[in-house]
Amino acid sequence: MARTLAPEILYSAEEIQSRVRELGRAITEQTPEDGEIAALIVLKGAFVFAADLLRAIDRRTRIGFLETHKDPEDPGATDFIFTHPFPIKGADLLIIEDILDTGITLTRLQERMASRRPARIRTAVLLDKVPRRQVETRVEYRGFEIPDRWVVGYGLDDGETYRNLPYIGYVEE
Ligand code: IMP
Ligand code: MG
């Protein structure tokens, strides 16, 4: 049956799965066997990526969430609402984000978390829109570099639709 929602495919479900498994292996290898990862999932876009990535990590994990709220009149002003049932101080944090665009949100978040003294902060992003970067942002695990076009699917939205698409595709802007 044809899908009624059919953006042009950028990465298929299979390509995403294989890349996410590679990222999971890298994170596993770079985490002590007796370590525990405190994962922070950035809502909403990263929920699908995080579900797959965390299941590809062979280490103990605790999982928390945060929501970002941007002020439309001031892109630099981002508010975070956290739900994490673990202390940040001393934690081996893994921030999981869907897409790195200007880098402003992620950099703000990393600064906020750093001020709470975790043992370390690592960041995993599925997509990186390199040409859009405005602030240099440290990312340890990156799925794919993509051009400057609006992408949807696998958690990413366009006006809250398409998040359930199993692949990543382009929509007209
Ligand atoms: P920035 O890096 O502070 O500009 O913000 C990045 C955020 O913008 C991401 O977490 C996404 O929520 C959103 N975003 C940026 N580009 C796209 C896209 O192509 N599709 C869907 N969401 C996007
Ligand atoms: Mg986001």
Side-chain angles (χ1 to χ4, degrees):
M1 200 176 73
R3 271 192 169 259
T4 46
L5 299 170
E8 184 191 336
I9 295 181
L10 176 60
Y11 291 108
S12 69
E14 292 72 25
E15 288 172 303
I16 299 167
Q17 289 312 315
S18 115
R19 185 70 186 122
V20 170
R21 273 196 296 270
E22 285 175 4
L23 296 179
R25 270 196 297 275
I27 293 168
T28 302
E29 281 164 15
Q30 289 158 25
T31 306
E33 251 175 78
D34 60 352
E36 182 179 89
I37 293 170
L40 269 184
I41 302 168
V42 183
L43 295 175
K44 292 185 280 206
F47 83 107
V48 178
F49 172 45
D52 286 341
L53 181 65
L54 288 163
R55 286 180 293 174
I57 297 173
D58 186 19
R59 290 292 181 266
R60 280 170 63 106
T61 61
R62 292 207 256 182
I63 296 172
F65 298 92
L66 68 100
E67 247 180 278
T68 62
H69 291 275
K70 271 194 199 176
D71 180 345
E73 271 151 34
D74 178 6
T78 308
D79 221 23
F80 303 106
I81 298 171
F82 294 92
T83 316
H84 51 79
F86 46 77
I88 299 298
K89 193 175 177 200
D92 187 2
L93 273 194
L94 177 66
I95 296 172
I96 304 177
E97 171 66 305
D98 53 359
I99 185 167
L100 185 52
D101 189 44
T102 63
I104 294 169
T105 312
L106 204 50
T107 303
R108 282 286 144 77
L109 176 61
Q110 290 169 339
E111 288 166 0
R112 267 287 283 282
M113 300 328 287
S115 73
R116 293 163 70 173
R117 311 279 196 93
R120 68 170 162 169
I121 303 178
R122 289 178 287 175
T123 303
V125 299
L126 180 64
L127 304 172
D128 185 357
K129 265 188 197 172
V130 186
R132 293 262 309 162
R133 193 66 25 80
Q134 283 177 27
V135 292
E136 209 182 304
T137 311
R138 203 169 48 85
V139 171
E140 285 75 15
Y141 310 99
R142 166 185 343 246
F144 303 102
E145 293 187 0
I146 63 167
D148 180 15
R149 285 183 61 186
W150 198 259
V151 289
V152 296
Y154 198 69
L156 291 140
D157 75 311
D158 182 43
E160 294 303 326
T161 60
Y162 298 113
R163 290 194 196 275
N164 64 328
L165 215 59
Y167 62 91
I168 293 166
Y170 292 122
V171 285
E172 295 307 320
E173 281 176 69

